[in-house]
Amino acid sequence: TYQPPTTPTEQHLTTIWTDLLDLDHIGIGDDFFNLGGHSLLAIQVLTRTQAHGYDLSLAELFDHPTIAALAALIDSRAPAAAPELTSAVLLRGGGTGPALFVVHSATGDVTEFDELAGSIAGDRPVYGLQAPGLDERSQPLGSITAMASAYLEEVQALQPTGPLLLAAWSMGAHVAVEMAREAVAAGRTVGGVFLIGPSVDLLPGRDRSFERQQREQLSALLRDLDATIAAAPGTRLPAAVEEEVLRHSALGRAHEAGIRAGDKHRLRAARVMITNFLASIEHLERVPMPDAYDGPVVLFIPQDAPGRQRRRTVRQWRSLLRGTPRVIDVPGRHHTVIHGAGAATVGRWLSAEMGRWQPDTGGTP
């Protein structure tokens, strides 16, 4: 039975949900995910609610998937005097100690860190840093340095003092290291940079002509995506372009079906992913980097990866840093290391590391 909203908070959430889900009406007892909500839309619910001063975490949305339940949770709290945020998403609330900030992978989506955030013990906040451009209110950032500067600004607003603890998976490793470098240059203490299954992009004896060809191809795909996203609802990419976009952004069957249907959410997700691939290629053209980061770095290397790939990953990251990173083997392969046994192992390690830093230490464990 349809139940209309009866409180201002329920009405506010109903407005957000009907807009994001493109439905005429939603009852306060309807389940967000049963209505067609998915991870990209879940983050938009959080960011729009956050803009009104309410700090909800991804875990809380999963636990309170109806308007009635979520509104009751919001109304039980006082509005927070939170800064305006574009990328930082609270994955798990916690106490007052230094937070862990986790940078997105090439997908730009931080919901992939839900299991990792849940594996961290203790009462500490965990934020995901999501790529702009996954909704209609922002555009993708086209370089690693632009991402690092934008994310660091939000991290500084959320945690103006104390040590910064930065983590990342895959392509996000480049962003996290650049954030650490900028933070140290600005006088902040970086307690640690933790790179989980960091990407392997630096090839020995790289062919510059091949890189140039890649850049041109990805740039052309981005122009087609921009035009299609700006076109009328339901507009599809040209057939050949569509196949290339799907090849570069393999995010699962739902994503593929959405791309083929001209779904704007899925098209924006593909645009973010291809933008991130292009940014990584252009970033590595600066290697060797004279101003490389020289602080503490831990590499969590998937132990089920082929031995050659493991050696190449460690060798690459030693060439990208001034100091020698610590290497920790964890269960899983590159695409599974933030789930299951891999997430549990990394979570235990990060829990111990976060426990070394106390609130308001000013950078002293």
Side-chain angles (χ1 to χ4, degrees):
T1 303
Y2 170 69
Q3 297 173 278
T6 58
T7 70
T9 305
E10 289 177 350
Q11 183 61 60
H12 171 64
L13 290 174
T14 300
T15 301
I16 294 174
W17 289 23
T18 53
D19 179 40
L20 292 176
L21 296 169
D22 196 22
L23 297 172
D24 292 331
H25 64 273
I26 295 174
I28 62 172
D30 293 333
D31 186 292
F32 178 77
F33 299 99
N34 290 342
L35 293 172
H38 49 72
S39 63
L40 297 177
L41 295 178
I43 294 298
Q44 292 187 49
V45 169
L46 296 183
T47 55
R48 293 193 187 188
T49 307
Q50 181 176 268
H52 285 75
Y54 296 100
D55 278 337
L56 290 173
S57 71
L58 182 65
E60 287 170 335
L61 177 55
F62 286 149
D63 290 340
H64 303 77
T66 67
I67 287 174
L70 200 59
L73 179 64
I74 289 174
D75 288 339
S76 70
R77 301 172 175 173
E84 184 175 348
L85 304 173
T86 300
S87 296
V89 176
L90 185 64
L91 299 180
R92 198 191 72 176
T96 58
L100 177 69
F101 296 92
V102 191
V103 182
H104 61 79
S105 70
T107 67
D109 180 14
V110 296
T111 59
E112 58 199 9
F113 298 129
D114 181 55
E115 192 172 347
L116 177 64
S119 71
I120 295 175
D123 189 24
R124 292 293 175 88
V126 179
Y127 286 90
L129 296 171
Q130 174 159 290
L134 290 173
D135 60 38
E136 72 280 6
R137 300 185 298 172
S138 60
Q139 294 295 314
L141 296 173
S143 71
I144 297 296
T145 54
M147 294 177 208
S149 297
Y151 303 163
L152 185 58
E153 183 176 342
E154 295 195 14
V155 168
Q156 301 264 42
L158 288 165
Q159 187 179 301
T161 62
L164 299 182
L165 302 174
L166 306 173
W169 176 46
S170 193
M171 164 265 170
H174 299 300
V175 183
V177 169
E178 178 61 18
M179 289 175 67
R181 190 194 67 78
E182 290 188 17
V184 170
R188 286 297 298 268
T189 296
V190 175
V193 181
F194 311 100
L195 309 182
I196 308 163
S199 60
V200 184
D201 304 300
L202 185 60
L203 300 176
R206 291 176 299 158
D207 184 348
R208 295 289 183 180
S209 63
F210 176 71
E211 287 183 347
R212 184 170 58 253
Q213 182 181 1
Q214 274 192 312
R215 289 199 310 273
E216 291 172 355
Q217 181 185 30
L218 294 175
S219 297
L221 292 179
L222 288 176
R223 288 193 292 270
D224 285 315
L225 280 164
D226 283 338
T228 305
I229 290 169
T235 301
R236 290 182 59 176
L237 291 161
V241 174
E242 187 174 86
E243 294 307 315
E244 279 300 300
V245 167
L246 290 171
R247 186 172 69 84
H248 281 91
S249 58
L251 294 173
R253 292 183 179 178
H255 179 79
E256 179 178 345
I259 290 286
R260 295 191 186 283
D263 179 272
K264 302 293 186 184
H265 297 293
R266 302 297 182 177
L267 289 169
R268 282 191 287 266
R271 181 175 63 178
V272 164
M273 194 166 190
I274 292 173
T275 297
N276 289 338
F277 286 147
L278 183 59
S280 295
I281 292 172
E282 294 175 343
H283 182 70
L284 287 171
E285 289 181 343
R286 297 173 52 208
V287 176
M289 301 177 188
D291 55 350
Y293 180 62
D294 62 356
V297 174
V298 177
L299 304 180
F300 293 102
I301 303 298
Q303 64 187 24
D304 295 338
R308 182 180 178 185
Q309 180 180 334
R310 182 191 184 282
R311 291 189 297 271
R312 185 172 143 200
T313 302
V314 174
R315 187 168 65 249
Q316 166 182 308
W317 282 95
R318 283 177 175 164
S319 73
L320 294 172
L321 302 165
R322 282 194 199 173
T324 300
R326 181 175 181 179
V327 178
I328 305 293
D329 288 329
V330 295
R333 303 180 74 88
H334 179 75
H335 292 289
T336 65
V337 72
I338 59 169
H339 303 291
T345 301
V346 174
R348 284 194 299 270
W349 212 96
L350 291 176
S351 299
E353 188 65 22
M354 293 174 74
R356 295 178 57 234
W357 303 92
Q358 301 303 316
D360 302 321
T361 59
T364 303

